Amino acid sequence: NLNLLEDGKERKEEVAVAEFHKKIKEAFEVFDHESNNTVDVREVGTIIRSLGCCPSEGELHDLIAEVEEEEPTGYIRFEKFLPVMTEVLLERRYRPIPEDILLRAFEVLDPAKRGFLSKDELIKYMTEEGEPFSQEEMEEMLSAAIDPESNSIHYKDYITMMVIDEN
Amino acid sequence: MNTPNLEDMGCGTSSATKDKKSEKALKAALVIQNWYRGYSARLKTRQRYALTIFQSIEYADEQGQLQLSNFFSFMLENYTNVPEKEPGLVTRLFGSSIQDKDRQDYLGLIEIPDSYCGPRLQFPLTFTDIDLLIEAFKQQQILHAYYVLEVLFETKKVLQQMPNFTHTNTSPSKEITICGDLHGKLDDLFLIFYKNGLPSVTNPYVFNGDFVDRGKNSMEILMILFVSFLVYPNDLHLNRGNHEDFMMNMRYGFTKEILHKYKLHGKKILQILEEVYTWLPIGTIIDNEVLVIHGGISESTDLNLLHRIERNKMRSVLMPPIPMDGDRAEKKNKLGTATVALGIRTSGSFSEQLTKQEWEQVIDILWSDPRGKRGCYPNTNRGGGCYFGPDITSKILNKYQLKMLVRSHECKPEGYEICHDGKVITVFSASNYYEEGSNRGAYIRMSSGTTPRFFQYQITKATCFRPLYQRVNAIESSAIRMLKERMISRKTDLIRAFQLQDRNKSGKLSMGQWAFSMENVLGLNLPWRSLSSHLVTTDKDGNIDYMSGFQDVHIQKPVKEVQSSLIETVYRYRSDLQIIFNIIDSDHSGLISMEEFRSMWRLFKSHYSVHIDDSQFDELAERMDLNKDGSIDFNEFLKAFYVVHKFDQLNKSDTKLA
């Protein structure tokens, strides 16, 4: 349709979509162990997050429902994953949390403004509130976050360290 | 709604305040959990990417084997074109150095000095010798060459009595343990024995190949396994892997380990070892149900044929049988007469080799990999064997009334993997194979009628376990480093490919263009878009400055005056050159003559279509002044070609030469 192609904006979106497709395919393929265009449903969350999105557990659950087969097989096919994921990227859904909001969240849990949370406090909040961590997730977070001498998490330093690591 | 509003919501009654407080806490917890899960997922992805890089490069290297193999065939078939002074080279390349000396000829000449305080084995061997060896190796002692040779001779003698496939049975009270690749990682073997017990009549084991290469204790592993085998020949089963091959050892480290640990008698050890490998069984069959082989199968796998062949004629994956088809009959005769005339006893004295079909059957067993895609197609990644799909597995298992295939050959992050509907299990026992933190190792325990049980482990050097992000950083840096070295070794070809696409000569390419060239030239199927941030700089429009990829690495120039393209070529082919040099150096002295060095290079050059002036190469050799009485120390020569990473604190040499 010549009219559409003449419109520069449409062309730009086409190119963006094409690049998204390639990016999604790359991320998917890394987890496609048997090279048959499917991934284990338990790895879909990791794939989506590796593409820069930060859905909550609830939102992830809904996304998976969209890409699953009518009768869930435990595997997600690329053909179903691609269009859904492309929409997510085009609409810029599930944007990641900015560093300052993250810092404020820790500060809310530390009303006395000590600058740290004790190990027990962090465990309590992470495993009892919100979308609770599994034991594995909790242990994993503690191994990096905790200062073994004081048994506490100096959250400002922790955040800085994680942000540097990612960049 | 993603970003909760954490601002004060004003005041109210005390219970309302309490509710608001807990609501704020809830929202704060959600923020932190959400962020953490995203971060954790990205960490795991980076780890996966690193593994993908390691694996792609590993398989691309194996594919390089094929080219080398073709080179040897090319040389043998074209030897008549080789000038008069070259026959010596060919003889050295293809002459078999194994003369049928008997054991006394070897052992009689070796004396164990009184000062030797390593382990002393007593023949006939008993379980105390196994304990003795393990204790000694834990203290990093080295077993004297005399004992090594004795063990090798005895092992060969016993293996010769065994069929191509070992048949064994289990019972509910006698489970069998299957271990995969160990690759010289002694700590993993110790850990397995610690967790699972030493081999014995009530604790049988199958070791599924690839005991050696890469790790630094291949000899110690081999000695423990062979001694255990000699003590319990009916309960310790060994399968041949693709690395139980004297030519693979030249490239991947075992040959070097032997010559280093056994300076005086290394040559003899290598000679006997070459033979012992050929007598290792091809596979093990448990309870007539479970087939255990190192690599995999193909659609034409014929177990009956494999039961019948003379397995010891399979010397190396790099020495395929010389073609004997009809229209080459004349060449063969010429080859045959001349071969005899030159006194060359090749692996191809025609009665001494397998048929092409038999050889391919063995290659399939040792090199194939399972994949999800149906059918059977050549394993282009590795250059040997094939990829086989679930339909092939079903077909072959049904044909021989088997229930399951257990194989190894591929590193898996969790140490094992099940595929093809539960019919194929991969078990890999070398933890941290690529790098510390890269993967777990595993072993399987099974008995007839019960589901197999998997046991995983991971060796960790740190006394306290490093957090995940540090481990991921380590393997990621290591993988990216390897990738950069790949890039620099193909710099000329890459730049040419980039420039072809860069019409405006802007020095920039789109992501798509850059990824295309990288994949094409390097032949590595990697997630280039995701990796680009580690390799090149991108401008604000998302375009890539392609020369930035070569900025912080360069190949050390051993001699200033020589062209970069020559340096790059030698660096790129250094592993192949290593093998070729090792073969020419038949007395394993580490030296070859300048003349041989030059003629080998000329032949290599023509086969690999390398366009570099002979004079350049001569100049290089001369200037490097590695001449020792007219000979060249080739290890020193190759070591001089290494990549320098700009940001290394210590300017450490990064050679990964076999």
Side-chain angles (χ1 to χ4, degrees):
Chain A
N1 192 326
L2 278 171
N3 286 334
L4 276 175
L5 286 173
E6 277 166 25
D7 187 346
K9 187 162 176 280
E10 287 285 345
R11 183 81 186 108
K12 266 206 174 124
E13 190 169 294
E14 253 180 54
V15 169
V17 169
E19 266 304 303
F20 280 153
H21 279 183
K22 295 213 183 90
K23 238 187 135 186
I24 296 169
K25 185 162 194 287
E26 260 186 18
F28 193 89
E29 275 177 353
V30 167
F31 291 89
D32 176 11
H33 306 311
E34 294 197 30
S35 308
N36 59 356
N37 291 326
T38 68
V39 298
D40 191 316
V41 66
R42 291 166 293 183
E43 309 217 80
V44 168
T46 310
I47 299 174
I48 294 173
R49 286 169 173 139
S50 79
L51 287 162
C53 304
C54 288
S56 69
E57 290 291 280
E59 287 162 336
L60 184 60
H61 192 82
D62 294 338
L63 267 177
I64 291 179
E66 267 188 75
V67 296
E68 238 171 1
E69 304 295 317
E70 299 256 324
E71 302 238 353
T73 59
Y75 290 96
I76 304 299
R77 287 186 301 122
F78 183 65
E79 297 83 50
K80 287 203 98 170
F81 183 74
L82 181 64
V84 173
M85 198 62 219
T86 310
E87 276 299 299
V88 167
L89 289 181
L90 275 173
E91 290 172 13
R92 298 174 61 77
R93 274 194 259 159
Y94 316 125
R95 297 277 82 212
I97 314 262
E99 196 182 324
D100 54 336
I101 302 285
L102 182 59
L103 181 58
R104 275 202 273 165
F106 275 103
E107 286 171 349
V108 163
L109 301 179
D110 174 26
K113 307 256 173 285
R114 299 159 298 173
F116 64 85
L117 290 175
S118 79
K119 179 177 169 186
D120 290 336
E121 284 170 342
L122 185 65
I123 293 179
K124 175 166 162 292
Y125 283 122
M126 293 296 102
T127 59
E128 290 176 23
E129 302 277 0
E131 292 177 324
F133 274 174
S134 67
Q135 192 187 8
E136 207 187 315
E137 285 175 312
M138 193 68 249
E139 277 170 14
E140 208 180 87
M141 182 179 188
L142 282 174
S143 75
I146 207 162
D147 166 27
E149 282 176 30
S150 58
N151 234 15
S152 63
I153 295 87
H154 295 266
Y155 46 82
K156 199 153 196 290
D157 293 337
Y158 174 58
I159 294 174
T160 312
M161 193 166 63
M162 295 297 109
V163 166
I164 289 177
D165 179 53
E166 287 229 276
N167 299 333
Chain B
M1 186 183 78
N2 216 10
T3 322
N5 184 344
L6 291 172
E7 274 160 352
D8 214 46
M9 292 185 210
C11 41
T13 66
S14 70
S15 74
T17 322
K18 216 174 170 198
D19 282 343
K20 292 220 164 72
K21 263 203 181 144
S22 56
E23 195 185 318
K24 279 174 89 172
L26 164 71
K27 285 185 176 160
L30 277 170
V31 165
I32 297 172
Q33 287 157 346
N34 182 305
W35 165 81
Y36 186 77
R37 286 182 169 121
Y39 170 74
S40 173
R42 288 189 291 278
L43 261 190
K44 300 212 166 87
T45 307
R46 284 163 61 195
Q47 187 177 37
R48 265 256 141 220
Y49 282 177
L51 286 181
T52 305
I53 293 174
F54 285 129
Q55 207 161 53
S56 300
I57 291 181
E58 180 184 17
Y59 297 166
D61 277 348
E62 286 179 356
Q63 191 185 54
Q65 300 290 85
L66 189 67
Q67 210 178 12
L68 192 59
S69 164
N70 288 341
F71 175 58
F72 290 148
S73 306
F74 158 82
M75 286 204 56
L76 196 59
E77 287 174 29
N78 291 285
Y79 85 101
T80 44
N81 298 332
V82 169
E84 238 52 46
K85 55 180 173 157
E86 315 278 38
L89 178 64
V90 181
T91 317
R92 293 277 276 279
L93 265 179
F94 297 104
S96 174
S97 50
I98 298 168
Q99 289 118 53
D100 286 320
K101 285 184 179 165
D102 71 33
R103 160 211 195 117
Q104 259 316 103
D105 287 335
Y106 281 98
L107 289 172
L109 298 168
I110 304 181
E111 270 187 30
I112 306 172
D114 290 330
S115 56
Y116 173 70
C117 52
R120 290 172 188 262
L121 302 175
Q122 283 198 317
F123 287 77
L125 298 169
T126 63
F127 66 87
T128 46
D129 294 291
I130 304 177
D131 287 333
L132 192 69
L133 270 190
I134 291 177
E135 281 317 300
F137 291 156
K138 278 190 176 151
Q139 288 161 48
Q140 278 138 25
Q141 291 172 3
I142 293 187
L143 182 66
H144 195 277
Y146 181 87
Y147 294 117
V148 173
L149 287 166
E150 273 222 271
V151 170
L152 290 176
F153 271 112
E154 281 300 309
T155 304
K156 177 181 153 189
K157 216 168 82 176
V158 178
L159 284 176
Q160 274 170 324
Q161 311 299 322
M162 299 204 148
N164 292 347
F165 285 87
T166 310
H167 287 257
T168 189
N169 291 313
T170 63
S171 66
S173 58
K174 189 177 166 181
E175 279 187 317
I176 195 165
T177 304
I178 306 177
C179 297
D181 299 26
L182 285 168
H183 281 301
K185 319 279 275 13
L186 190 55
D187 286 341
D188 286 287
L189 184 60
F190 285 155
L191 188 54
I192 294 172
F193 283 160
Y194 176 74
K195 277 172 76 107
N196 196 54
L198 289 176
S200 72
V201 170
T202 49
N203 194 21
Y205 276 85
V206 178
F207 284 91
N208 200 13
D210 281 10
F211 323 123
V212 299
D213 277 335
R214 297 187 192 274
K216 56 185 178 63
N217 292 104
S218 299
M219 180 50 89
E220 285 72 39
I221 290 207
L222 210 58
M223 285 298 109
I224 292 176
L225 291 181
F226 282 169
V227 166
S228 305
F229 168 70
L230 290 171
V231 178
Y232 300 111
N234 298 318
D235 297 289
L236 189 308
H237 311 292
L238 299 168
N239 291 340
R240 191 175 185 184
N242 63 308
H243 279 262
E244 275 70 56
D245 176 327
F246 77 105
M247 286 208 178
M248 293 290 279
N249 294 166
M250 283 181 195
R251 188 196 193 120
Y252 290 103
F254 190 26
T255 304
K256 198 169 172 195
E257 181 187 324
I258 292 178
L259 293 174
H260 177 75
K261 285 178 178 165
Y262 298 99
K263 293 187 167 58
L264 205 48
H265 302 294
K267 178 190 165 196
K268 289 181 194 162
I269 293 175
L270 286 169
Q271 281 174 357
I272 311 299
L273 189 56
E274 191 183 318
E275 274 190 273
V276 174
Y277 283 155
T278 65
W279 285 107
L280 286 167
I282 296 169
T284 301
I285 299 179
I286 303 174
D287 297 324
N288 282 320
E289 285 182 341
V290 179
L291 176 63
V292 188
I293 45 179
H294 178 72
I297 51 178
S298 78
E299 64 188 345
S300 53
T301 290
D302 181 346
L303 287 184
N304 295 324
L305 179 145
L306 285 165
H307 267 84
R308 284 196 313 263
I309 63 169
E310 293 176 73
R311 71 180 187 270
N312 65 306
K313 290 182 178 174
M314 174 66 174
R315 275 179 84 199
S316 167
V317 68
L318 290 178
M319 298 177 88
I322 299 170
M324 290 173 30
D325 25 87
D327 51 59
R328 296 218 201 194
E330 194 191 286
K331 201 166 191 183
K332 165 197 148 186
N333 286 333
K334 220 166 126 186
L335 212 64
T337 353
T339 310
V340 169
L342 280 176
I344 297 176
R345 197 165 70 95
T346 68
S347 74
S349 291
F350 305 112
S351 64
E352 285 184 22
Q353 59 180 17
L354 296 173
T355 68
K356 183 160 184 278
Q357 186 202 23
E358 290 171 341
W359 193 83
E360 277 172 6
Q361 289 270 333
V362 179
I363 295 290
D364 284 341
I365 298 288
L366 298 180
W367 285 80
S368 300
D369 293 314
R371 283 293 179 269
K373 192 165 150 190
R374 294 171 67 84
C376 181
Y377 41 107
N379 192 327
T380 44
N381 264 347
R382 299 202 199 242
C386 69
Y387 290 127
F388 61 98
D391 51 329
I392 305 293
T393 300
S394 297
K395 176 176 153 200
I396 301 292
L397 288 181
N398 288 339
K399 188 170 168 193
Y400 299 101
Q401 283 126 36
L402 298 164
K403 290 215 179 113
M404 189 158 66
L405 172 64
V406 176
R407 44 88 62 177
S408 303
H409 197 43
E410 286 181 292
C411 176
K412 298 292 178 189
E414 292 301 313
Y416 74 94
E417 194 172 272
I418 306 176
C419 65
H420 291 192
D421 262 334
K423 298 211 186 93
V424 174
I425 300 179
T426 302
V427 62
F428 193 87
S429 301
S431 69
N432 303 331
Y433 178 56
Y434 293 116
E435 180 62 69
E436 188 169 338
S438 66
N439 64 291
R440 292 184 157 131
Y443 57 88
I444 310 174
R445 281 186 71 92
M446 61 164 72
S447 68
S448 160
T450 61
T451 357
R453 294 182 295 144
F454 299 89
F455 295 83
Q456 298 165 295
Y457 52 85
Q458 192 161 17
I459 300 281
T460 174
K461 296 243 186 305
T463 46
C464 67
F465 206 51
R466 286 195 297 173
L468 182 62
Y469 81 95
Q470 275 183 19
R471 286 179 278 140
V472 171
N473 272 338
I475 66 171
E476 187 181 59
S477 315
S478 189
I480 296 295
R481 229 179 132 89
M482 272 185 89
L483 197 47
K484 284 194 160 159
E485 290 182 4
R486 258 307 129 120
M487 283 168 65
I488 199 86
S489 78
R490 305 294 301 267
K491 182 174 174 183
T492 309
D493 292 338
L494 278 170
I495 293 181
R496 195 182 303 136
F498 291 146
Q499 285 174 340
L500 233 77
Q501 297 192 79
D502 180 16
R503 302 289 165 78
N504 312 331
K505 301 200 195 303
S506 59
K508 300 219 172 144
L509 289 177
S510 72
M511 178 68 81
Q513 289 172 313
W514 178 78
F516 175 78
S517 293
M518 290 294 280
E519 176 137 345
N520 253 335
V521 173
L522 295 180
L524 296 172
N525 180 10
L526 291 174
W528 295 108
R529 285 162 183 77
S530 311
L531 295 172
S532 61
S533 58
H534 294 283
L535 300 172
V536 283
T537 50
T538 315
D539 67 20
K540 54 180 171 51
D541 298 320
N543 290 320
I544 293 183
D545 171 0
Y546 53 81
M547 290 306 286
S548 62
F550 306 110
Q551 252 163 23
D552 53 351
V553 272
H554 66 269
I555 303 174
Q556 184 71 356
K557 258 193 176 180
V559 166
K560 261 196 317 199
E561 293 79 359
V562 174
Q563 276 174 11
S564 299
S565 51
L566 172 59
I567 305 293
E568 196 181 302
T569 304
V570 176
Y571 178 76
R572 179 172 158 194
Y573 288 111
R574 66 201 191 289
S575 301
D576 291 352
L577 290 172
Q578 176 107 41
I579 296 187
I580 295 170
F581 287 143
N582 264 305
I583 292 175
I584 296 175
D585 176 29
S586 60
D587 62 358
H588 298 293
S589 59
L591 303 172
I592 57 175
S593 75
M594 265 310 265
E595 207 182 282
E596 284 170 326
F597 187 69
R598 278 202 195 92
S599 15
M600 182 244 69
W601 171 257
R602 275 200 292 278
L603 283 163
F604 182 89
K605 209 186 91 165
S606 76
H607 180 71
Y608 281 77
S609 307
V610 167
H611 304 296
I612 289 178
D613 235 321
D614 281 345
S615 61
Q616 281 274 307
F617 188 77
D618 287 347
E619 169 126 9
L620 179 64
E622 295 286 353
R623 284 197 183 255
M624 284 178 73
D625 195 28
L626 295 169
N627 261 330
K628 294 172 184 169
D629 303 322
S631 296
I632 255 211
D633 182 333
F634 59 82
N635 282 314
E636 289 303 312
F637 173 75
L638 290 173
K639 265 207 321 227
F641 294 85
Y642 59 92
V643 170
V644 175
H645 294 261
K646 189 158 138 195
F647 299 109
D648 271 359
Q649 305 289 46
L650 323 148
N651 209 13
K652 65 178 193 246
S653 143
D654 207 49
T655 41
K656 295 223 189 244
L657 295 175

